[in-house]
Amino acid sequence: MTIATERPPAPRADAHRAFTGRRVLVAALALIVVQLVVRGVVAARGYFYWDDLILVARAGEHPLLSADFLLYDHDGHLMPGAFLVAGILTKLAPLHWALPAISLVVLQALASLAVLRVLRVILGGRPTLLIPLALYLFSPLTLPSFAWWANGLNQLPLQAGLALVTAEAILLYRTGRIRHAVAGAGILVVSLAFYEKSVVIPFVAFVAVALLAHSAGDRRPIRSTVRACASLWAGAVMILVGWATVYLSHVEAPLRTDHLDDAAALLHHGTSLGLLPALFGGPWSWDRWPPSPPWATPPVVLVVGAWLFIAAVIVGNHLRRRRIGWVWPAVAAYALLSQLAMVLTRGGEGTAVEIAQTLRYVADTSVIVAIALAVIDQSPRRATHPAFRPILSVRTRPAITAVVAAVFLAGSLWSTFTFEQRWRDNPTVDYVHNATAALAAHQDVPLLSQQVSIWVLLPVAAPYNQSSAVFGPLRERPEFADSTPSLTMLDDDGHLVPAEVSWIRALTEGLAPGCGTRVTGESVAVAPGIDGAIALSQPVIPWVWTAQLNYLSNRDGMIEVSMPGGTPVTVPVQSGLGTAYVRLTGGGAAVDVSAVTPDLNLCFGGGPFGSVVPAQPPDGGSRAAAGTDGPRPHQ
C-alpha cells in the first residue's frame, strides 16, 4: 500500500495542478527569501557571544583536523562538524563577525529549503503547504538559536536533518528505491556531526511515515513502515551504534538527576512562557541579564491566547480530518522529551528557570509542528458538522486564514525586532573591538594572560576565559607570555591600560647584606630564609599568582621561577636594575628562583605578590602591603 490514495488526475486537472504547484513553489521560495532577509539583518547586527569565543579560542589552540579539536567534550556536546566550520572561519578571519554571520544565513537557507522539501513530499503543490512553511520560517521559536553562532551550528543542521531524512523515508516508503535509504543515512551522519540531539532524527522519520500510512488507511502502519523502510532503519541503527561508541568514549555523561523537584517549574516556563507563545508569533518582549542570553517574557494575554489557540487548532483539525488522532500526541511527546533533556542536562542547583524561556532547547520543535500540520492537511476529510459549517465554509476559511496569518506575521516580526534589540545589548562587541585594536597597536612587549571581563565570559568558562585563549588566534597582537618587563592589562572595556600587582602578599627582603635575596649560577632557591629564596610574608593557597620581581643583574640572562606544585617559568632578565612580572601557579610560603645562565648573579628586593589590577594614579592613595610597609627594591 502506498501513502497516497488519490485517484490519477484527468489531463486538464493534471495541468491545472502543475500550474498551481509552480505558483505555490514560487510563493514558497519568496517566503524563504523574505525570511533570509530578516534573519540576515539579525545576523549582521549580532556578534560573538559566550561559547562562540570558546570555539574561536580552541581553533587558535589546536590544529584544524586534530582529534583534540574536533572530538572535544564541549559541555556535554560532541560536535566535530560545528568545530570544523568554526575552525575554518576562524583561521580565515579570526574574531571577524562577517563570516560567522554569513554561515548562519547559509545554514538557515539550507534548513528552510529542507523544510520546504519535506512539505512538498507530503503535500505536493497544494497551496496549504504555505501555512506550515510560514510557521517554520517566521516563528520566533527558532530565532535565539539562529542568532547565537555556536547554537546555530548545532540547531540548524539538526532542523535540516529532521526535514531531509523524513522526506527520504517517505519517498523510500512510496517507491522502495534504495537511493533514498542511502541519502537518508548520509544526512543522518552529517547531522550527528553537528549535534548529538540528531539521534532523534530516525525516530521522527519513523513516526512521520507511520502517521502518513495510518492516514492513508493502512491498518498496520507500524509494520508497514518497518518493512518498507527496513534498509533505512538498519543503516540508522548501525550509524547510531557507531556514533554512541565515539560519544561515550569522548564525552563525560552530562545527565544530572539531582534537584528534579525543579522539573515542573522548568517545564512550565519552557511550555507556557516559551514554546507555545513563540510558536504563534510571540513572545513580543524579551528580558536579559548580561552576560546571559535573552529569554522570552510574554504577557499573560498571549500565554492564555496561545493555549486557547492551540486547543482550537487541535479541535478544528479533528472536526475536519480523519485518522489524525496520534499526530498531536506525537508532537507533544517530542516537545516534552526535548524539555526533559534540558532538565536532565542543564537543571540543578543554581539553574534559573528562565533558561527554559531562552527557547534554544525546543527550537527544533518548529520542524515537527510543520510536518505534523502537513500530515493533517493530507489526511482524509470528514463531513463538517452542521453547527460548524458557517465557520468552516469555503467562503469564510480564506478570510479567517488571512486574519490569522496577518496577526502571526505581525507578532513574529515584532518579536524579532524586540529580540534583536536585546541581543545587541552585548558587552562583547565593544570589548573585542577595543581589545583587538589595542593589541594590534602594542605588539612589542609580551603580555601576561588574564581573565577577560566577566561581562564577556564568566570564570566557569576557564581556561577559555583567558585573554591568551580568546585573542590567541589574532595575527596582529603581542606575544602572550608568563613574564613581561612592563605590566599592562585589558580593562573591562577592552582597553590596554597600565597595571600593577596587588599587595595580597609581599615578597620580603632577603638576608644577604647589601643584596637582599641572592641568586647566582651556583645557587638555587629551595626554601625561604637562605640565599636564593624569596620568602612570602604569609603562605598562599595553590592558585594563579603574579609576582613583581625587582632585581639587580650583572648581565643579561635567564632565570627560572616557580612555586611548589606549579610549573617553572623561564624569565629573561637584563643587565642592571630591572623588574620582571611573572605569572605563577602553585602555593606555599616562598617563590623559588634559580639562574639558568651559569655566570649570572642577581640580587632581589621586596615587592608585591598577588593579582594584576589597573594601576592607581600617583595620588591614588596608600597601598596596604601584607606583612610589609611596601616595596623596597635594593639598589
Side-chain angles (χ1 to χ4, degrees), residues 99-135:
L99 290 183
I102 292 171
S103 71
L104 286 172
V105 176
V106 170
L107 288 173
Q108 181 63 76
L110 293 175
S112 299
L113 291 171
V115 172
L116 173 59
R117 172 172 167 75
V118 73
L119 295 179
R120 282 176 58 82
V121 167
I122 297 173
L123 295 174
R126 299 185 188 187
T128 49
L129 170 149
L130 299 175
I131 296 175
L133 178 63
L135 186 80

Side-chain angles (χ1 to χ4, degrees), residues 157-236:
L158 168 62
Q159 294 168 24
L162 284 167
L164 291 176
V165 175
T166 299
E168 296 300 329
I170 295 170
L171 293 172
L172 178 61
Y173 182 97
R174 290 176 177 172
T175 67
R177 294 173 183 168
I178 195 65
R179 64 184 176 88
H180 295 300
V182 174
I187 295 165
L188 176 60
V189 170
V190 174
S191 300
L192 284 168
F194 284 85
Y195 194 15
E196 69 278 356
K197 192 179 179 180
S198 296
V199 295
V200 304
I201 289 177
F203 302 98
V204 169
F206 184 95
V207 171
V209 174
L211 290 173
L212 284 169
H214 175 66
S215 70
D218 191 333
R219 295 184 178 180
R220 296 181 177 178
I222 294 179
R223 186 176 68 174
S224 299
T225 301
V226 171
R227 289 181 176 180
C229 303
S231 55
L232 176 56
W233 311 140

Side-chain angles (χ1 to χ4, degrees), residues 72-347:
Y72 173 68
D73 176 2
H74 180 60
D75 200 18
H77 298 304
L78 182 66
M79 43 189 244
F83 272 120
L84 181 61
V85 172
I88 292 173
L89 299 187
T90 299
K91 300 291 185 185
L92 291 174
L95 289 175
H96 285 273
W97 178 244
L99 290 183
I102 292 171
S103 71
L104 286 172
V105 176
V106 170
L107 288 173
Q108 181 63 76
L110 293 175
S112 299
L113 291 171
V115 172
L116 173 59
R117 172 172 167 75
V118 73
L119 295 179
R120 282 176 58 82
V121 167
I122 297 173
L123 295 174
R126 299 185 188 187
T128 49
L129 170 149
L130 299 175
I131 296 175
L133 178 63
L135 186 80
Y136 169 77
L137 295 178
F138 298 105
S139 167
L141 185 59
T142 62
L143 182 59
S145 60
F146 163 83
W148 186 356
W149 186 39
N151 199 224
L153 291 174
N154 293 154
Q155 269 286 341
L156 293 170
L158 168 62
Q159 294 168 24
L162 284 167
L164 291 176
V165 175
T166 299
E168 296 300 329
I170 295 170
L171 293 172
L172 178 61
Y173 182 97
R174 290 176 177 172
T175 67
R177 294 173 183 168
I178 195 65
R179 64 184 176 88
H180 295 300
V182 174
I187 295 165
L188 176 60
V189 170
V190 174
S191 300
L192 284 168
F194 284 85
Y195 194 15
E196 69 278 356
K197 192 179 179 180
S198 296
V199 295
V200 304
I201 289 177
F203 302 98
V204 169
F206 184 95
V207 171
V209 174
L211 290 173
L212 284 169
H214 175 66
S215 70
D218 191 333
R219 295 184 178 180
R220 296 181 177 178
I222 294 179
R223 186 176 68 174
S224 299
T225 301
V226 171
R227 289 181 176 180
C229 303
S231 55
L232 176 56
W233 311 140
V237 168
M238 290 188 290
I239 290 169
L240 292 181
V241 169
W243 175 87
T245 302
V246 177
Y247 182 87
L248 295 175
S249 63
H250 288 82
V251 176
E252 184 179 352
L255 297 181
R256 302 176 60 178
T257 56
D258 57 332
H259 300 282
L260 288 180
D261 51 331
D262 295 333
L266 287 169
L267 291 176
H268 164 67
H269 281 255
T271 303
S272 295
L273 304 181
L275 173 62
L276 287 180
L279 193 62
F280 298 121
W284 301 347
S285 62
W286 309 78
D287 202 354
R288 188 179 193 184
W289 300 333
S292 70
W295 64 85
T297 56
V300 175
V301 65
L302 179 58
V303 174
V304 174
W307 275 108
L308 293 176
F309 190 75
I310 190 65
V313 168
I314 294 172
V315 171
N317 290 158
H318 282 276
L319 289 174
R320 299 184 62 239
R321 301 288 177 174
R322 297 184 290 120
R323 305 177 192 150
I324 62 167
W326 289 103
V327 175
W328 285 113
V331 173
Y334 186 90
L336 178 62
L337 290 174
S338 294
Q339 295 187 71
L340 285 176
M342 171 194 66
V343 171
L344 293 175
T345 57
R346 296 293 181 263

Side-chain angles (χ1 to χ4, degrees), residues 403-420:
V403 171
V404 172
V407 172
F408 167 74
L409 288 174
S412 296
L413 292 176
W414 178 252
S415 295
T416 301
F417 172 76
T418 54
F419 173 85
E420 190 269 336

